[in-house]
Amino acid sequence: MRLDGEREHAPVQTGTHEVRNQPPPLDDFDPLACDPALREALTARGAADRVESLRPLARRAGSAEVREHGRLANAHPPVLHSHDRYGHRVDEVEFHPSWHWLMGEAVSSGLHASPWSPEAPSGEHLARAAGFYLWSQAEAGHGCPVSMTFAAVPALRHSSELAEHYEPGLRSTHYDFGVRHPEKKAGLLAGMSMTEKQGGSDVRANSTTAEPLSDGSYRVVGHKWFTSAPMNDLFLALAQTPGGLSCLLIPRVLPDGTRNAIRLQRLKDKLGNKSNASAEIEYTGAIGWLVGEEGRGVRSIIDMVSMTRMDCVLGSAANMRIALSEASHHAAHRSAFGERLDRTPLMGAVLTELAVESEAAVALGMRLAAATDGGHRGQRAELDLLRIVLPAAKYYVCKRAPSVIAEALECLGGNGYVEESGLPRLYREAPLMSVWEGAGNVTALDTLRALHKQPEAAERLLEELDLASGRDERYDRAVRSLRAELADPQPARARRLAELLTLTVQAGLLLRDSPEEVSDTFLATRLEALGSTPGTSGVASRQLLDRVTPGGRD
């Protein structure tokens, strides 16, 4: 004690508390190891041998390095440079180095074109779909140019001369960024330029014109409202020719080495998909070449649309899966009120429904990829199945992704709403897949259109569903309801048909290929749920959570 009248003070503690009860970073995890649904789907499709070959790509996708590249590519979005310092028109887009790194990895892995190689083994569409799904979990935006390049090849084959000239570059596994003569580049990328402000999904309302020239080329004039990845090397565009709406190939650089008359007016300020540049462009007398026949532009480009719709399903499944990984990882390491989150009944019920919805999306995506393999081998039945199931799957899976990701975000509480968690980026990305390549009404109505144009597609669908008949009365009831909708399809009920069709196909696949715990949970929560939000069924499955949590659960 001080004797001079002054009080003695105890040492001041300036700290607050030790940080505890926070999960470790989800870095350097293996997204294939915690995804038995993907492994089961590959095995069911006769591709069990592909699982091991996918592991290196999966581990890279889950690495801290790749996840950081994904963050940086979105934190530093592309910038348009319309002119150089001297006033010359350049129409170039500058990307962050992490964008180029991600693109290089995707292209070198063949995710943009591997099935189109003459040496491609059987089942390559399925293997590529699995790889695209795994790699997209690292970052979604760069999947757009990868997907469009993949989808451009079958469309380009409507013109054998153009395919012969450009396809080797499109199939190359070298990423070679820059505006240069195609013959001087180690690899090429393709894009699509269809949408116009006066047409939107109604592409036949497009006003872009293409005037035939004496040398067989066309002079293209028009304003395209959305063209993603405008720095790609060539574009497939729709324009009005004397023979009607036609598809043309428009390269950035012409055969004589000069730049084509393609003007980038502005980059779209989008809700999400920030790493990827989507531009409003003008063709001011650009030179293009006809793909397919005049007046049959939709027919020429429909293969591209189908393949990009496939990737919309896969991309939505990937976004749901990585959101589930973040949520289940958090719940496995976080406690509240003396109990670990994933052991509480209600959180367990929420995560269970997120898990089973993710597994159903994966199973469906792989089945569609296998049907694509079969179709390219000339199997008419697989093509028929693809024609009716793909637009319905694109409608439903992409429509569900925002809700699933929002629930996954909420599993982290306030932490999930903060940018550092990565969940807000996934949430902003999710609606894109539903809008791209035909919004909900368009794809639901395309399901009806497939029924009218190919009645045999409905028969093939029912044959597929019959493979699981008699295994569960809940499933059989759903199939009977679907049969009634198929017998009397109405535009006003197109969404109901697309949803019911997708759910029954998913249920059938899970009944056939997944453990009983998975299929039973799906039937209880998706076909007979009390409500539409996860957790309302009250079904919580520890087995399902063990399947999907990165690193497992203690």
Side-chain angles (χ1 to χ4, degrees):
M1 176 179 291
R2 298 282 295 269
L3 300 179
D4 55 7
E6 295 182 9
R7 287 192 298 173
E8 182 176 359
H9 294 280
V12 176
Q13 298 293 327
T14 58
T16 55
H17 57 267
E18 181 182 353
V19 176
R20 297 177 179 174
N21 196 29
Q22 291 285 355
L26 182 60
D27 288 333
D28 297 318
F29 81 106
D30 183 349
L32 184 58
C34 60
D35 201 335
L38 177 60
R39 303 195 301 270
E40 290 160 3
L42 291 172
T43 299
R45 309 275 82 80
D49 59 321
R50 297 291 191 127
V51 173
E52 289 306 313
S53 64
L54 286 167
R55 287 195 186 279
L57 180 69
R59 287 171 178 150
R60 287 205 306 278
S63 69
E65 178 187 22
V66 174
R67 284 162 65 82
E68 177 64 5
H69 278 302
R71 186 190 71 81
L72 289 171
N74 284 272
H76 303 279
V79 177
L80 170 63
H81 300 289
S82 59
H83 296 77
D84 67 13
R85 58 179 290 196
Y86 304 106
H88 301 124
R89 190 93 194 203
V90 293
D91 296 291
E92 294 190 4
V93 179
E94 179 184 1
F95 292 88
H96 188 271
S98 286
W99 166 271
H100 296 300
W101 192 94
L102 290 164
M103 285 295 300
E105 289 291 301
V107 170
S108 66
S109 299
L111 302 181
H112 69 304
S114 61
W116 309 123
S117 170
E119 295 81 32
S122 176
E124 190 63 16
H125 277 285
L126 179 60
R128 181 262 171 192
F132 184 81
Y133 158 78
L134 288 167
W135 185 251
S136 293
Q137 294 178 46
E139 200 284 317
H142 78 294
C144 178
V146 170
S147 178
M148 289 191 298
T149 301
F150 166 68
V153 173
L156 200 59
R157 287 178 176 177
H158 285 274
S159 173
S160 57
E161 184 177 350
L162 292 174
E164 182 179 356
H165 186 73
Y166 288 106
E167 191 175 314
L170 294 172
R171 294 200 313 262
S172 169
T173 53
H174 295 280
Y175 174 61
D176 191 358
F177 182 81
V179 184
R180 299 191 306 281
H181 196 293
E183 293 182 2
K184 296 181 180 180
K185 299 191 69 173
L188 303 176
L189 296 174
M192 182 165 51
S193 191
M194 292 199 300
T195 304
E196 297 182 12
K197 55 183 178 289
Q198 71 275 13
S201 296
D202 184 9
V203 295
R204 295 189 183 277
N206 287 1
S207 63
T208 296
T209 61
E211 172 194 0
L213 302 177
S214 59
D215 64 357
S217 64
Y218 288 73
R219 180 180 289 112
V220 183
V221 176
H223 183 187
K224 294 295 184 179
W225 196 235
F226 279 101
T227 298
S228 282
M231 290 304 292
N232 283 3
D233 300 287
L234 50 96
F235 304 97
L236 291 178
L238 291 178
Q240 303 289 352
T241 65
L245 188 66
S246 303
C247 179
L248 294 106
L249 180 138
I250 305 175
R252 286 291 306 271
V253 177
L254 294 170
D256 63 3
T258 61
R259 290 195 179 197
N260 213 345
I262 303 173
R263 303 289 180 250
L264 308 186
Q265 297 301 93
R266 59 174 172 165
L267 299 185
K268 299 292 192 179
D269 186 7
K270 299 170 291 184
L271 169 67
N273 198 244
K274 294 293 188 179
S275 68
N276 178 43
S278 296
E280 194 173 322
I281 72 173
E282 286 186 352
Y283 296 125
T284 56
I287 301 301
W289 284 265
L290 191 66
V291 177
E293 302 175 27
E294 263 202 12
R296 303 198 67 190
V298 174
R299 174 67 187 89
S300 298
I301 211 168
I302 196 65
D303 289 332
M304 188 174 192
V305 173
S306 295
M307 292 297 97
T308 48
R309 283 183 174 180
M310 173 84 70
D311 281 359
C312 285
V313 175
L314 297 171
S316 292
N319 285 342
M320 287 193 281
R321 176 61 250 206
I322 187 59
L324 169 62
S325 292
E326 297 281 1
S328 60
H329 174 75
H330 177 88
H333 294 87
R334 177 86 166 175
S335 297
F337 307 107
E339 192 171 6
R340 207 172 75 184
L341 281 181
D342 64 348
R343 301 294 185 185
T344 62
L346 190 52
M347 180 62 81
V350 172
L351 289 171
T352 292
E353 292 198 39
L354 296 182
V356 79
E357 185 136 23
S358 170
E359 297 214 5
V362 173
L364 180 58
M366 294 305 111
R367 179 64 185 94
L368 292 172
T372 305
D373 274 318
H376 283 277
R377 292 195 303 269
Q379 297 176 8
R380 178 62 183 271
E382 292 293 84
L383 278 178
D384 290 340
L385 184 69
L386 200 62
R387 286 190 182 105
I388 190 170
V389 177
L390 179 56
K394 199 275 184 186
Y395 167 80
Y396 184 73
V397 174
C398 298
K399 189 70 70 179
R400 288 295 303 150
S403 296
V404 170
I405 294 169
E407 286 288 352
L409 181 154
E410 193 172 329
C411 290
L412 277 67
N415 290 335
Y417 200 70
V418 175
E419 284 293 336
E420 287 103 326
S421 73
L423 272 299
R425 176 168 51 120
L426 290 175
Y427 185 60
R428 291 192 300 269
E429 186 79 28
L432 171 65
M433 300 297 179
S434 189
V435 173
W436 192 31
E437 297 301 3
N441 283 353
V442 173
T443 48
L445 290 170
D446 278 349
T447 306
L448 263 64
R449 193 169 293 111
L451 283 173
H452 291 304
K453 288 189 173 182
Q454 288 104 12
E456 63 275 14
E459 298 175 11
R460 176 64 188 94
L461 168 66
L462 293 172
E463 290 174 0
E464 178 81 7
L465 296 175
D466 284 345
L467 295 175
S469 65
R471 302 192 185 195
D472 192 288
E473 177 55 30
R474 294 167 294 182
Y475 172 74
D476 293 341
R477 283 199 301 270
V479 173
R480 289 194 292 270
S481 296
L482 177 60
R483 284 179 179 272
E485 287 291 333
L486 292 172
D488 184 28
Q490 298 294 327
R493 296 204 308 271
R495 285 186 171 220
R496 170 176 168 75
L497 172 62
E499 179 173 328
L500 185 57
L501 190 159
T502 305
L503 285 168
T504 51
V505 172
Q506 288 178 322
L509 289 169
L510 295 180
L511 281 168
R512 288 156 51 193
D513 305 328
S514 298
E516 183 179 355
E517 179 78 7
V518 177
S519 60
D520 184 69
T521 303
F522 183 84
L523 290 166
T525 61
R526 307 303 345 127
L527 291 186
E528 293 196 337
L530 298 176
S532 60
T533 58
T536 53
S537 68
V539 176
S541 167
R542 288 194 173 188
Q543 181 179 332
L544 259 173
L545 298 190
D546 288 341
R547 283 168 62 87
V548 302
T549 303
R553 299 159 77 241
D554 297 330

